[in-house]
Amino acid sequence: MVIGVIGGSGLYEIEGLTDLQEVDVETPFGDPSDVYITGMLEGVKMVFLPRHGRGHRLLPSEVNYRANIYGMKKLGVERIISVSAVGSMKEEIVPGHIVIPDQFFDQTKGLRGSTFFGEGVVSHVAFADPICSDLAQLVYEAATEAGATVHKGGTYICIEGPNFSTRAESNIYRKWGVDIIGMTNIPEARLAREAEICYATVALATDYDCWHEDHDDVDIESILEIIRNNVSMARNIIKVAAGKVASDRPCGCGQALQFAIMTEPGRIPEKTRQNLDLLVGKYLKK
């Protein structure tokens, strides 16, 4: 049983890890954001990766999401907890609150590698429910126990960035009914599903974007102040969650590819087969 944590803005390390090791992972999709940090937390093996690299070097569009998730898979990760800073699109989600979303809306612009497939192999993975409900429930319970003000469920709209929304965009997104706005969980969640890894998000609300007339528009200085407080809570949530995880996975995430591959095995190019063996080797028979 191995839990992966992908840290967003402000979360560049996990406190309390023992038996620390830095692991440099090679992937067919290039370099991950940084070296992976492995260790033990609450008796559970954990793999941590700072999404933007240590020192926050990568724009949301520059993150190699495919390499990051492939590396997690290679290290035996079965569940990923994503920690992400977001803007609130609802009055009741106050900056400082935490949201465990259950849906995504993709407003990225096709600049990011969003699938492991192609180059001779076609796969269509079900993504109607993009979050693992079992892992989300566990994380919600952990957040509650840790003392967070937490909202269960909601839609995360993912924009390309790196700029924040215009006022017109922010108001249109609100009319669409989304709850929070961020720049990184897509294609991360899609790739986790393709890798048959359970995925859930701890979304740290830092601001009201720019739609709220009674609050200042989003700016980095105010965001960083709230992030510092929220990251401490996120670490507590991860610690509590680690102690709750069971060894078995009753959800269907671990079989997401079972009926998704459309290409006849004999027609898949050998190079593609080799690159994807970690993900699909158990399903392919010549």
Side-chain angles (χ1 to χ4, degrees), residues 32 34 54 56 64 87 114 124 131 166 181 193 200 251 262 271:
D34 212 311
R54 287 177 288 188
H56 207 113
N64 190 339
S114 61
H124 300 290
I131 292 290
T166 67
I181 183 169
R193 180 60 54 83
C251 61
M262 306 296 292
K271 179 63 175 177

Side-chain angles (χ1 to χ4, degrees), residues 7-37:
S9 301
L11 184 59
Y12 307 115
E13 60 183 5
I14 297 292
E15 294 178 353
L17 284 180
T18 60
D19 302 325
L20 288 175
Q21 291 185 350
E22 292 189 357
V23 183
D24 194 357
V25 177
E26 294 184 0
T27 87
F29 303 96
D31 295 329
S33 295
D34 212 311
V35 295
Y36 295 83
I37 307 298

Side-chain angles (χ1 to χ4, degrees), residues 95-111:
H97 288 189
I98 286 173
V99 181
I100 313 297
D102 56 8
Q103 282 294 329
F104 293 110
F105 193 98
D106 186 359
Q107 277 292 105
T108 60
K109 299 179 180 179
L111 304 179

Side-chain angles (χ1 to χ4, degrees), residues 21-245:
Q21 291 185 350
E22 292 189 357
V23 183
D24 194 357
V25 177
E26 294 184 0
T27 87
F29 303 96
D31 295 329
S33 295
D34 212 311
V35 295
Y36 295 83
I37 307 298
T38 68
M40 300 296 294
L41 184 68
E42 297 296 306
V44 176
K45 184 174 180 180
M46 186 160 289
V47 178
F48 175 75
L49 181 70
R51 181 184 289 116
H52 300 279
R54 287 177 288 188
H56 207 113
R57 309 182 313 274
L58 301 171
L59 292 171
S61 302
E62 293 178 323
V63 173
N64 190 339
Y65 297 95
R66 291 190 297 181
N68 288 353
I69 298 298
Y70 188 97
M72 286 281 183
K73 182 75 172 183
K74 196 170 182 179
L75 292 173
V77 169
E78 293 185 334
R79 299 172 175 91
I80 289 176
I81 300 174
S82 159
V83 180
S84 307
V86 298
S88 168
M89 306 302 280
K90 295 284 182 67
E91 183 87 44
E92 61 270 23
I93 301 174
V94 179
H97 288 189
I98 286 173
V99 181
I100 313 297
D102 56 8
Q103 282 294 329
F104 293 110
F105 193 98
D106 186 359
Q107 277 292 105
T108 60
K109 299 179 180 179
L111 304 179
R112 312 172 182 194
S114 61
T115 180
F116 290 112
F117 297 97
E119 298 186 357
V121 60
V122 175
S123 176
H124 300 290
V125 173
F127 202 57
D129 297 304
I131 292 290
C132 174
S133 59
D134 290 348
L135 183 58
Q137 177 64 30
L138 182 149
V139 171
Y140 172 74
E141 292 172 3
T144 302
E145 288 186 24
T149 301
V150 57
H151 303 261
K152 185 182 179 184
T155 297
Y156 174 130
I157 185 170
C158 189
I159 63 173
E160 190 65 54
N163 298 327
F164 297 121
S165 306
T166 67
R167 212 175 306 281
E169 290 168 337
S170 190
N171 283 305
I172 286 173
Y173 297 154
R174 286 207 351 115
K175 290 180 180 178
W176 290 352
V178 304
D179 297 272
I180 51 178
I181 183 169
M183 301 179 188
T184 58
N185 277 201
I186 295 293
E188 196 171 83
R190 293 186 189 279
L191 293 162
R193 180 60 54 83
E194 288 188 349
E196 299 187 328
I197 299 173
C198 301
Y199 184 94
T201 296
V202 176
L204 315 177
T206 61
D207 56 85
Y208 277 121
D209 205 42
C210 59
W211 62 268
H212 204 305
E213 296 179 356
D214 296 331
H215 287 259
D216 293 336
D217 294 342
V218 55
D219 66 82
I220 289 297
E221 184 177 358
S222 59
I223 283 177
L224 290 177
E225 182 178 354
I226 293 178
I227 281 178
R228 281 189 286 270
N229 296 326
N230 267 6
V231 162
S232 177
M233 177 59 74
R235 289 192 177 108
N236 290 335
I237 292 171
I238 291 167
K239 184 176 181 180
V240 175
K244 287 177 167 290
V245 174

